[in-house]
Amino acid sequence: MTKLSVNINKIATLRNARGGNQPNVIKVAKDIERFGGQGITIHPRPDERHIRYDDARELTKIVTTEFNIEGNPIPKFIDLVLETKPDQVTLVPDAITNITSDAGWDTIKNKHFLTEVIAEFKRNNIRTSIFVDPVNEMIEGAKATGTDRIELYTESYAKGFENGDPEKAIAPYINAAKIALKNDLEINAGHDLSLDNIEYFKKNIPGLLEVSIGHALICEALYLGLENTIQMYLRKLQ
């Protein structure tokens, strides 16, 4: 079964919009685990516009499943990861001004930088993953950095699926997964995955260990309820 890690950034966005502590990010994380979620993902950004660095510090005390922190490895982020020691860190090359992640790493151009950062995390027993596009050279480049996993950036798959051509949309991801497995890299995936497209993706991607889903899941939960939505994802990921 592919594990479901729920990204709770949007819960923090809602909290921050009003001030105070409603909804309570810590309580929601506990509830997600109680409802069957197999991991909690956060993506703190330097301006802390949703998840705050202090949220990460509090979450590391209470998450009992898998705790995954993702983000651009600027010094402040690296310090946070080394302080909180999550189960996994996912490196994402998003600019400070980005609304959301929009590309994977150029693992060839950034090989030296990524290798150094990954080595530091692995010295601290933190599993590492690199956000990558489904491009053979980028996956082979990821292998050279020493990372444990890749996270396939799935926006183009989601758009292709929505446009009615799932076979064409999934093809580069199937090939990317085969290249990753050939290079002994474990596979995660995320971005724009939803109840509509997750089952087809799961069925076609060999070796898919984990998906990280936030925006779509929270939007769906507004209509379906959080517990019910999580259970629906789990059934599709079996």
Side-chain angles (χ1 to χ4, degrees), residues 1 3-8 11 24-42 56 58-68 86-87 210 213 217-218 226-231 234:
M1 182 175 178
K3 288 185 177 181
L4 171 65
S5 185
V6 179
N7 186 317
I8 60 172
I11 301 299
N24 186 308
V25 168
I26 303 303
K27 182 181 185 303
V28 171
K30 290 179 179 179
D31 287 339
I32 287 169
E33 292 184 321
R34 182 164 59 87
F35 296 156
Q38 297 147 318
I40 300 294
T41 290
I42 61 172
E58 293 303 311
L59 285 163
T60 196
K61 299 174 185 176
I62 63 95
V63 173
T64 60
T65 54
E66 179 187 278
F67 189 31
N68 172 47
D87 300 288
E210 176 183 302
I213 305 177
L217 189 151
I218 299 304
L226 184 58
E227 181 174 9
N228 185 42
T229 302
I230 289 171
Q231 289 298 312
L234 293 175

Side-chain angles (χ1 to χ4, degrees), residues 9 48 52 58 66 93 157 174 177 215-216:
N9 276 22
E48 300 187 274
R52 300 167 182 156
E58 293 303 311
E66 179 187 278
Y157 160 73
I174 295 172
H215 183 78

